[in-house]
Amino acid sequence: MTKQTNWGGNYTYRAARWHHPHTVEEVQDVVRRSAQVRVLGTRHSFNGIADTPEDLISLKHLNRVLALDEGQQTVTVEGGVRYGELCRYLDERGWALHNLASLPHLSVAGACATGTHGSGNRSPGLAAAVTAMSLVTAGGHVTTVSREQEGASFEGMVVGLGALGVVTSLTLKVEPSYLMRQDVYEHLPLTQLIQRFDQITGSAESVSLFTDWREPHVQQVWLKRRVSPQDTFKPDAEWFGATLAQRHLHPIHHLSAAPCNQQLGIPGPWFDRLPHFRAAHTPSSGQEVQSEYVLPRTHAPAALYALSALGKRLAPVLLISEVRTISADELWLSPCYHQDSVSVHFTWHPDERAVRALLPEIERELAPFGPRPHWGKVFTLPPARLEHLYPRLPDFRRLVTTWDPGGKFRNDFLNAYVFGNSCK
Ligand SMILES: Cc1cc2nc3c(=O)[nH]c(=O)nc-3n(C[C@H](O)[C@H](O)[C@H](O)COP(=O)(O)OP(=O)(O)OC[C@H]3O[C@@H](n4cnc5c(N)ncnc54)[C@H](O)[C@@H]3O)c2cc1C
């Protein structure tokens, strides 16, 4: 079999055998027969988190929506469903999710397993919607766990890094469908952002700030607001010193906005406004690398100020940076565990060596603010540092050891960052 890479093209999977089961029974069979096994979602992570030297399972054929329970306001999906598919199904029936990531092509299971998030001062990460999951465990049995039954340990299982078993279905909280509009401002002075961070990020349900750190302003601010069908909102032409954009924009200024969802305040369904990119636009390979750090929101002004001093150092490798906010949650390995957060994301040119050479400088600048790295992206923080940043890692290790005592679902990534010697 030819070598398979992740979406970004920076990671080549090492798995000896690939499996594409069509049923849960086939998943159970693979897990029973395998000594080392991992599950792959839609390959949007940028590191080896999903990999294994032996058996890699893709759930791309297990991609049905199983049940919508309108009374309980939940939907249950199979482990291979992508957000794009789920959103359309929900909206057609008058339902919605609380938030989405920048891209609708991600699998629900993979996104939740790594603590993926959108933006919003009052909006937690995507995994906060999970109320129950079915897993094929190391012994090949199917077990269903829920917040109701498991209590506190459920909070340890949802952002599970694929370490507890194969998630074959998830139940998510839904809410009535809603419309949104997206307005973009250009050239927000950094001084304004630093002085009025909470006010600016609280100006809409979801706020994204795009910058390359080269100028003393943020190039674009994307404001996503919920609106009624009779929306009469008129955005100010000037806002905190920024100017309302009069045409559709791509976050990377010189690129065509064709792949982006509609802006200019045009109302549309929630799932066509929350992600930056259209579901119908199918990016094959990104040819990029990403990194992201999540810190307590109270540190946002100081952290942004510190990063702005690095602008010239970042420039040769950086495509664009995005700053978002996320509200606190209870999920042990969520980067937003017990803290209202700000995330600083970097989309890099596809030169991982140069990126890895630069990351320690960024991590040094952010060190005073406790930067929790995104599990699915590239970082160079040592495992011992993660032990301090993720206070529930010891509890998670115990949970994983109970569920998978033989270490069938472990891989190099988990051995380093969850079970590393330096962590003990
Ligand atoms: C273009 C792009 C945009 C992105 N936007 C955002 C964003 O807006 N916000 C954000 O926070 N992140 C974002 N990310 C990161 C992305 O959300 C995470 O990397 C996420 O894990 C990707 O999901 P996936 O299905 O591709 O998972 P994969 O990369 O395939 O796998 C990730 C992890 O999930 C586990 N996993 C997957 N499926 C299962 C399953 N069924 N059972 C058990 N474990 C499973 C894997 O074992 C692995 O540990 C983005 C990435 C890209 C490439």
Side-chain angles (χ1 to χ4, degrees), residues 7-299:
W7 178 89
N10 70 310
Y11 187 88
T12 302
Y13 297 104
R14 295 181 301 133
R17 290 170 296 280
W18 287 65
H19 305 271
H20 299 93
H22 287 79
T23 64
V24 174
E25 291 73 23
E26 285 174 26
V27 176
Q28 291 177 272
D29 195 44
V30 175
V31 172
R32 276 196 197 109
R33 286 189 286 111
S34 175
Q36 293 276 276
V37 61
R38 294 287 291 171
V39 204
L40 193 58
T42 44
R43 308 184 190 195
H44 285 88
S45 293
F46 291 88
N47 56 36
I49 190 169
D51 206 5
T52 174
E54 299 202 8
D55 294 286
L56 199 48
I57 299 176
S58 158
L59 296 188
K60 68 176 183 185
H61 299 305
L62 286 166
N63 65 346
R64 288 173 306 157
V65 177
L66 296 174
L68 174 66
D69 184 333
E70 298 189 297
Q72 293 294 317
Q73 302 205 347
T74 60
V75 67
T76 301
V77 297
E78 286 187 315
V81 163
R82 295 167 182 247
Y83 276 101
E85 299 153 357
L86 171 61
C87 292
R88 200 159 285 284
Y89 170 96
L90 285 175
D91 195 64
E92 279 168 11
R93 290 157 181 81
W95 296 96
L97 299 171
H98 76 282
N99 208 340
L100 290 169
S102 62
L103 200 72
H105 307 83
L106 312 172
S107 82
V108 176
C112 292
T114 55
T116 291
H117 59 87
S119 189
N121 281 1
R122 285 179 295 168
S123 186
L126 307 187
V130 179
T131 61
M133 301 189 295
S134 290
L135 295 103
V136 173
T137 60
H141 308 292
V142 180
T143 306
T144 300
V145 293
S146 66
R147 176 164 286 119
E148 242 171 26
Q149 282 167 11
E150 306 296 320
S153 67
F154 185 75
E155 314 288 1
M157 303 178 75
V158 182
V159 180
L161 315 183
L164 298 158
V166 183
V167 175
T168 50
S169 78
L170 302 101
T171 300
L172 310 174
K173 255 317 198 201
V174 295
E175 59 185 89
S177 181
Y178 49 92
L179 294 175
M180 296 193 90
R181 58 178 287 158
Q182 185 167 224
D183 297 288
V184 175
Y185 282 87
E186 294 185 90
H187 308 306
L188 172 72
L190 202 57
T191 46
Q192 285 284 345
L193 179 62
I194 286 173
Q195 282 165 22
R196 309 170 88 163
F197 186 82
D198 286 337
Q199 204 181 340
I200 287 172
T201 57
S203 299
E205 267 82 9
S206 166
V207 175
S208 285
L209 302 139
F210 293 100
T211 178
D212 62 11
W213 305 103
R214 276 184 242 197
E215 307 289 338
H217 58 247
V218 163
Q219 275 101 350
Q220 295 177 26
V221 186
W222 290 29
L223 297 163
K224 301 167 194 246
R225 291 188 176 86
R226 292 193 187 202
V227 291
S228 70
Q230 301 78 33
D231 175 45
T232 54
F233 178 77
K234 289 253 177 310
D236 292 336
E238 201 196 307
W239 177 79
F240 294 107
T243 314
L244 186 66
Q246 300 297 337
R247 62 198 165 92
H248 288 98
L249 294 173
H250 190 287
I252 301 173
H253 198 260
H254 62 273
L255 296 185
S256 156
C260 300
N261 275 321
Q262 279 195 312
Q263 303 157 23
L264 304 176
I266 301 163
W270 55 281
F271 64 93
D272 270 347
R273 294 295 177 274
L274 280 169
H276 305 323
F277 300 102
R278 292 174 191 266
H281 170 78
T282 41
S284 50
S285 151
Q287 296 302 313
E288 66 185 52
V289 177
Q290 296 184 7
S291 304
E292 189 166 25
Y293 300 92
V294 179
L295 5 150
R297 199 183 305 157
T298 46
H299 293 320

